[in-house]
Amino acid sequence: DIQMTQSPSSLSASVGDRVTITCQASQDISNYLNWYQQKPGKAPNLLIYDASNLQTGVPSRFSGSGSGTDFTFTISSLQPEDIATYYCQHYDNLPPTFGPGTKVDIK
Amino acid sequence: VQLVESGGGLVQPGGSLRLSCAASGFTFSSYAMSWVRQAPGKGLEWVSGISGTGSTTYYADSVKGRFTTSRDNSKNTLYLQMNSLRAEDTAVYYCAKDPLTTVTNAFDIWGQGTMVTVSS
């Protein structure tokens, strides 16, 4: 199975800050990577697909980049409603696996 | 586009439970579907997937031989039959839709989840 790691595991930032989360795959997954946002008590919500494409309806302050084994997720200007846990997920082969998550809160 | 899970509850170890996921707002039979679970306070774990026609199914090693995924395209409903349940199966179970008509194992729409608790 492909292992996904994320860093940091949690972060605290101020409103308006730029926030960056990294995700690393244990082997080359090309661009078969999604980013999800999960708010407490809610289902995950797809934000970024194919590593860098913004899902319809998602604010443009969210972005993703990378390919191969190293990926980055960025919130360009953190907003109070962005408080959530963010997960990366590969879908290069079976089983699709998720990173352990990065919890983001407001300083 | 909406997915609504049901069927969760409290079950004893070794028991069985069947989850359902009712789909609406899209051509259900055209898309692969999956089950993803989340243990309390933990991360996300893919459990199983099924092709649009239902002819092909996929399972995580942790549930293989105990869980069965099926679908009824005439009823726009996905199912997860869970047998020989263990305490470690305790989780919120989400159904999730594949974004393409081919199986990608990516998930663009999720249900709200249904809680399964395995305990005596």
Side-chain angles (χ1 to χ4, degrees):
Chain A
D1 298 1
I2 296 174
Q3 306 304 313
M4 307 299 294
T5 57
Q6 283 182 238
S7 62
S9 57
S10 65
L11 66 89
S12 186
S14 299
V15 173
D17 281 355
R18 184 180 186 87
V19 168
T20 299
I21 299 168
T22 62
C23 174
Q24 188 168 58
S26 60
Q27 65 188 66
D28 189 335
I29 59 169
S30 184
N31 67 331
Y32 298 121
L33 185 102
N34 284 346
W35 288 96
Y36 301 89
Q37 175 193 65
Q38 186 178 33
K39 297 183 178 181
K42 300 295 186 182
N45 180 43
L46 177 65
L47 299 182
I48 303 289
Y49 65 94
D50 294 346
S52 60
N53 295 298
L54 194 66
Q55 177 72 347
T56 302
V58 173
S60 59
R61 65 180 180 274
F62 297 101
S63 65
S65 65
S67 67
T69 60
D70 296 300
F71 302 87
T72 300
F73 173 81
T74 299
I75 307 173
S76 61
S77 176
L78 186 68
Q79 299 301 304
E81 60 267 31
D82 300 336
I83 301 313
T85 299
Y86 294 84
Y87 295 93
C88 61
Q89 177 235 336
H90 90 81
Y91 48 99
D92 183 56
N93 58 18
L94 285 174
T97 54
F98 295 83
T102 295
K103 188 173 183 179
V104 174
D105 63 25
I106 298 289
K107 190 182 295 182
Chain B
V1 178
Q2 190 175 17
L3 299 171
V4 179
E5 300 94 337
S6 60
L10 174 64
V11 61
Q12 292 187 340
S16 299
L17 209 56
R18 188 177 85 154
L19 307 184
S20 300
C21 170
S24 60
F26 64 100
T27 305
F28 181 67
S29 60
S30 294
Y31 295 90
M33 298 291 296
S34 286
W35 290 98
V36 178
R37 68 184 180 184
Q38 186 169 37
K42 302 297 184 182
L44 299 163
E45 179 190 17
W46 174 82
V47 171
S48 176
I50 187 168
S51 62
T53 62
S55 61
T56 307
T57 52
Y58 314 87
Y59 298 95
D61 287 345
S62 58
V63 306
K64 201 171 295 181
R66 300 187 299 122
F67 289 12
T68 302
T69 292
S70 61
R71 62 193 297 162
D72 185 337
N73 287 342
S74 69
K75 295 182 178 179
N76 290 346
T77 303
L78 174 73
Y79 302 100
L80 181 65
Q81 177 66 44
M82 303 184 294
N83 299 330
S84 303
L85 282 161
R86 306 167 180 166
E88 55 264 35
D89 296 319
T90 294
V92 174
Y93 284 73
Y94 297 101
C95 61
K97 171 187 165 291
D98 202 294
L100 300 179
T101 55
T102 53
V103 176
T104 67
N105 296 306
F107 316 115
D108 67 339
I109 301 294
W110 297 62
Q112 86 288 352
T114 188
M115 181 71 203
V116 172
T117 303
V118 184
S119 175
S120 54

